[in-house]
Amino acid sequence: MLGRDLRVINVGIAEIKTGKSPDVLRTTLGSCIGVVLYDPIKKVGGISHIMLSKDPTGKDSLKTPGKYGETALPILMKAMEQEGSKIGSYCARIFGGASMFKGINSNFLQNIGENNIQIAREFLQIKNIPLIVEDVGGHDGRTISLYLDDGRVL
């Protein structure tokens, strides 16, 4: 049962949101990737709901930076810093990246999930952010909820 002080914060496609205990961050993913950062000491966390790994035109990421992994993930880190959490005090988990377009004959659509997974992993490795959990790939979408009181993801 949810407490009366608890807020459920929905994270939509191409959105980046943060919160603090006792809030819950929730998103639904298909081929998109949800990158979750959580600081167990400050009990703050964030989710970036990434639709595509990179902006194919180089123009849309200026307008909607949360849509693309290459621009969204630095913003997520900055949002965590604004919540009082510095790099080194949080860890990461990634979810989603399913192959949702299996009946369609298109390399671009077939590889969206894989490309999203790859950019998330690469970014976290470059920034030395520990990746402690992955639930990625497959053919089914998933809904995740990050409980900021203790960091569990259901």
Side-chain angles (χ1 to χ4, degrees), residues 7-19 23-30 32-37 45-51 66-67 72 76 142-148:
R7 292 182 312 150
V8 175
I9 302 167
N10 290 306
V11 183
I13 295 173
E15 289 186 339
I16 301 162
K17 293 193 180 173
T18 58
D23 295 343
V24 176
L25 296 171
R26 180 172 293 150
T27 195
T28 300
L29 305 159
C32 294
I33 282 283
V35 177
V36 174
L37 300 180
I47 296 179
S48 177
H49 186 137
I50 298 165
M51 186 175 173
K67 187 175 181 179
L76 177 61
R142 40 188 73 77
T143 297
I144 60 166
S145 298
L146 169 62
Y147 290 81
L148 295 170

Side-chain angles (χ1 to χ4, degrees), residues 86-149:
K86 298 203 181 305
I87 194 164
S89 61
Y90 52 81
C91 55
R93 299 170 223 179
I94 60 173
F95 301 89
S99 178
M100 303 296 292
F101 307 100
K102 57 186 173 187
I104 299 172
N105 189 15
S106 164
N107 281 339
F108 174 75
L109 292 177
Q110 290 292 328
N111 295 327
I112 289 175
E114 288 176 28
N115 293 341
N116 288 342
I117 294 166
Q118 181 178 352
I119 198 155
R121 285 177 179 154
E122 287 173 1
F123 179 86
L124 295 170
Q125 184 176 16
I126 289 167
K127 296 297 183 182
N128 293 314
I129 301 170
L131 177 58
I132 61 168
V133 172
E134 286 188 19
D135 181 13
V136 295
H139 295 287
D140 297 316
R142 40 188 73 77
T143 297
I144 60 166
S145 298
L146 169 62
Y147 290 81
L148 295 170
D149 59 343

